[in-house]
Coordinates of all heavy atoms in Angstrom, one line a residue:
D1 N -20.9 12.6 4.2 CA -20.1 12.0 5.2 C -19.7 10.6 4.9 O -18.6 10.1 5.1 CB -20.7 12.0 6.6 CG -19.7 11.8 7.7 OD1 -18.6 12.4 7.7 OD2 -20.0 11.0 8.6
G2 N -20.7 9.8 4.3 CA -20.3 8.4 3.9 C -19.2 8.3 2.9 O -18.5 7.3 2.9
V3 N -19.1 9.3 2.0 CA -18.0 9.4 1.1 C -16.7 9.6 1.8 O -15.7 8.9 1.5 CB -18.3 10.4 -0.1 CG1 -17.0 10.6 -0.9 CG2 -19.5 10.0 -0.9
R4 N -16.7 10.5 2.7 CA -15.5 10.8 3.5 C -15.0 9.5 4.2 O -13.9 9.2 4.2 CB -15.8 11.9 4.5 CG -14.5 12.1 5.5 CD -14.8 13.2 6.5 NE -15.9 12.8 7.4 CZ -15.8 12.0 8.5 NH1 -14.6 11.5 8.8 NH2 -16.8 11.7 9.2
L5 N -16.0 8.8 4.9 CA -15.7 7.6 5.6 C -15.1 6.5 4.6 O -14.1 5.8 5.0 CB -16.9 7.0 6.3 CG -17.4 8.0 7.4 CD1 -18.7 7.4 8.0 CD2 -16.4 8.1 8.5
T6 N -15.6 6.4 3.4 CA -15.2 5.4 2.4 C -13.7 5.8 2.0 O -12.9 4.9 1.9 CB -16.1 5.3 1.2 OG1 -17.4 4.9 1.7 CG2 -15.6 4.3 0.2
V7 N -13.5 7.0 1.7 CA -12.2 7.5 1.3 C -11.2 7.3 2.4 O -10.0 6.9 2.2 CB -12.3 9.0 0.9 CG1 -10.8 9.6 0.6 CG2 -13.1 9.1 -0.4
E8 N -11.6 7.5 3.7 CA -10.7 7.3 4.8 C -10.4 5.8 4.8 O -9.3 5.4 5.2 CB -11.3 7.7 6.1 CG -11.3 9.2 6.3 CD -12.0 9.7 7.5 OE1 -12.6 8.8 8.3 OE2 -12.0 10.9 7.7
Q9 N -11.3 4.9 4.5 CA -11.0 3.4 4.5 C -10.0 3.2 3.4 O -9.1 2.3 3.6 CB -12.3 2.6 4.3 CG -13.2 2.6 5.4 CD -14.5 2.0 5.1 OE1 -15.0 1.9 4.0 NE2 -15.3 1.7 6.1
L10 N -10.1 3.8 2.3 CA -9.2 3.6 1.1 C -7.7 4.1 1.6 O -6.7 3.4 1.3 CB -9.6 4.4 -0.1 CG -10.8 3.9 -0.8 CD1 -11.2 4.9 -1.9 CD2 -10.6 2.5 -1.3
E11 N -7.7 5.2 2.4 CA -6.4 5.6 2.9 C -5.8 4.6 3.9 O -4.6 4.4 3.9 CB -6.6 7.0 3.6 CG -6.9 8.1 2.7 CD -7.0 9.4 3.5 OE1 -8.1 9.6 4.0 OE2 -6.1 10.2 3.4
T12 N -6.7 4.1 4.7 CA -6.2 3.1 5.6 C -5.6 1.8 4.9 O -4.5 1.3 5.3 CB -7.3 2.6 6.6 OG1 -7.7 3.8 7.3 CG2 -6.9 1.5 7.6
T13 N -6.4 1.4 3.9 CA -5.9 0.2 3.1 C -4.5 0.5 2.5 O -3.6 -0.3 2.5 CB -7.0 -0.1 2.0 OG1 -8.1 -0.5 2.7 CG2 -6.4 -1.3 1.2
A14 N -4.4 1.7 1.9 CA -3.1 2.1 1.3 C -2.0 2.1 2.3 O -0.9 1.6 2.1 CB -3.3 3.5 0.7
A15 N -2.2 2.7 3.5 CA -1.2 2.8 4.6 C -0.8 1.3 5.0 O 0.4 1.1 5.2 CB -1.8 3.5 5.7
Q16 N -1.8 0.4 5.1 CA -1.5 -1.0 5.4 C -0.6 -1.6 4.4 O 0.3 -2.3 4.7 CB -2.8 -1.7 5.6 CG -3.6 -1.3 6.8 CD -5.0 -1.9 6.9 OE1 -5.5 -2.4 5.9 NE2 -5.6 -1.9 8.1
Q17 N -0.9 -1.4 3.1 CA -0.1 -1.9 2.0 C 1.3 -1.4 2.0 O 2.2 -2.1 1.8 CB -0.8 -1.8 0.7 CG -2.1 -2.6 0.5 CD -2.7 -2.5 -0.9 OE1 -2.2 -1.7 -1.7 NE2 -3.7 -3.2 -1.1
V18 N 1.4 -0.1 2.3 CA 2.7 0.5 2.4 C 3.5 -0.1 3.5 O 4.7 -0.5 3.4 CB 2.6 2.1 2.5 CG1 4.0 2.6 2.8 CG2 2.1 2.7 1.2
T19 N 2.9 -0.2 4.7 CA 3.6 -0.8 5.9 C 4.0 -2.2 5.6 O 5.1 -2.6 5.8 CB 2.7 -0.7 7.1 OG1 2.4 0.6 7.3 CG2 3.3 -1.4 8.2
A20 N 3.1 -3.0 5.0 CA 3.5 -4.4 4.6 C 4.6 -4.5 3.7 O 5.6 -5.3 3.8 CB 2.3 -5.1 4.0
G21 N 4.7 -3.6 2.6 CA 5.7 -3.6 1.6 C 7.0 -3.2 2.3 O 8.1 -3.7 2.0
V22 N 7.0 -2.2 3.1 CA 8.3 -1.7 3.7 C 8.8 -2.8 4.7 O 10.0 -3.1 4.6 CB 8.0 -0.4 4.5 CG1 9.1 0.0 5.5 CG2 7.7 0.8 3.6
T23 N 7.9 -3.4 5.4 CA 8.3 -4.4 6.3 C 9.0 -5.6 5.6 O 10.0 -6.2 6.0 CB 7.1 -5.0 7.2 OG1 6.6 -3.9 7.9 CG2 7.5 -6.1 8.0
M24 N 8.3 -6.0 4.5 CA 8.8 -7.1 3.6 C 10.2 -6.8 3.0 O 11.0 -7.6 2.9 CB 7.8 -7.4 2.6 CG 8.2 -8.6 1.7 SD 6.9 -9.0 0.5 CE 7.0 -7.5 -0.6
L25 N 10.4 -5.6 2.6 CA 11.6 -5.2 1.8 C 12.7 -4.5 2.5 O 13.9 -4.3 2.0 CB 11.1 -4.3 0.6 CG 10.2 -5.0 -0.4 CD1 9.7 -4.0 -1.3 CD2 11.0 -6.1 -1.2
M26 N 12.4 -4.0 3.7 CA 13.4 -3.1 4.5 C 14.7 -3.7 4.6 O 15.7 -3.1 4.4 CB 12.8 -2.8 5.9 CG 13.7 -1.8 6.6 SD 14.0 -0.3 5.8 CE 12.5 0.6 6.2
D27 N 14.9 -5.0 5.0 CA 16.2 -5.5 5.3 C 16.7 -6.5 4.2 O 17.6 -7.3 4.4 CB 16.1 -6.3 6.6 CG 15.9 -5.3 7.8 OD1 16.5 -4.2 7.8 OD2 15.2 -5.6 8.7
V28 N 16.1 -6.4 3.0 CA 16.4 -7.3 1.9 C 17.6 -6.6 1.2 O 17.5 -5.4 0.8 CB 15.2 -7.5 1.0 CG1 15.6 -8.3 -0.2 CG2 14.1 -8.3 1.8
P29 N 18.7 -7.4 0.9 CA 19.7 -6.8 0.1 C 19.2 -6.6 -1.4 O 18.5 -7.5 -1.9 CB 20.9 -7.8 0.2 CG 20.4 -9.0 0.8 CD 19.0 -8.7 1.4
D30 N 19.5 -5.4 -2.0 CA 19.0 -5.2 -3.3 C 17.5 -5.5 -3.5 O 17.1 -6.3 -4.3 CB 19.8 -6.0 -4.4 CG 21.3 -5.8 -4.2 OD1 21.7 -4.6 -4.1 OD2 22.1 -6.8 -4.3
P31 N 16.7 -4.7 -2.7 CA 15.2 -5.0 -2.8 C 14.7 -4.6 -4.2 O 15.0 -3.6 -4.8 CB 14.6 -4.1 -1.7 CG 15.7 -3.0 -1.6 CD 17.0 -3.6 -1.9
V32 N 13.7 -5.4 -4.6 CA 13.0 -5.2 -5.9 C 11.5 -5.4 -5.7 O 11.1 -6.3 -5.0 CB 13.5 -6.2 -7.0 CG1 12.7 -6.0 -8.3 CG2 15.0 -6.2 -7.2
L33 N 10.8 -4.4 -6.2 CA 9.4 -4.5 -6.2 C 8.8 -4.6 -7.5 O 9.1 -3.8 -8.4 CB 8.8 -3.1 -5.5 CG 7.3 -3.0 -5.2 CD1 6.9 -4.1 -4.4 CD2 7.0 -1.7 -4.7
G34 N 8.0 -5.7 -7.8 CA 7.4 -5.9 -9.1 C 6.0 -5.2 -9.1 O 5.2 -5.3 -8.2
L35 N 5.8 -4.5 -10.2 CA 4.5 -3.8 -10.4 C 3.8 -4.3 -11.6 O 4.4 -4.7 -12.6 CB 4.8 -2.3 -10.6 CG 5.5 -1.5 -9.5 CD1 5.9 -0.1 -9.9 CD2 4.5 -1.4 -8.3
P36 N 2.5 -4.3 -11.5 CA 1.7 -4.8 -12.7 C 1.6 -3.7 -13.7 O 1.4 -2.5 -13.4 CB 0.4 -5.1 -12.1 CG 0.2 -4.2 -11.0 CD 1.6 -4.0 -10.4
R37 N 1.8 -4.0 -15.0 CA 1.5 -3.1 -16.1 C 0.0 -2.9 -16.2 O -0.5 -1.8 -16.5 CB 2.1 -3.6 -17.4 CG 3.5 -3.3 -17.6 CD 3.9 -3.8 -19.0 NE 5.4 -3.9 -19.0 CZ 6.3 -3.0 -19.3 NH1 5.8 -1.8 -19.5 NH2 7.5 -3.2 -19.3
E38 N -0.7 -4.0 -16.1 CA -2.1 -4.1 -16.2 C -2.6 -5.0 -15.0 O -1.8 -5.9 -14.7 CB -2.6 -4.6 -17.5 CG -2.3 -3.7 -18.7 CD -2.7 -4.2 -20.0 OE1 -3.6 -5.1 -20.0 OE2 -2.2 -3.8 -21.0
C39 N -3.8 -4.9 -14.6 CA -4.3 -5.7 -13.5 C -5.3 -6.7 -14.1 O -6.1 -6.3 -15.0 CB -4.9 -4.9 -12.4 SG -3.7 -3.9 -11.5

């Protein structure tokens, strides 16, 4: 169960990042998202 809970936390973090990205880019003309090749 602890693994399930940790994976659910990862899902929550991903959803928060998606929401933040959408909010930031939604009304921007010609939106561009920069991605890292390596971290």
Side-chain angles (χ1 to χ4, degrees):
D1 195 48
V3 170
R4 177 184 60 85
L5 295 172
T6 300
V7 170
E8 287 175 356
Q9 290 171 342
L10 293 171
E11 288 180 285
T12 298
T13 299
Q16 291 168 342
Q17 289 185 358
V18 170
T19 298
V22 169
T23 300
M24 181 178 67
L25 296 168
M26 182 59 80
D27 295 321
V28 173
D30 303 318
V32 177
L33 182 60
L35 298 169
R37 283 187 197 270
E38 296 180 21
C39 290

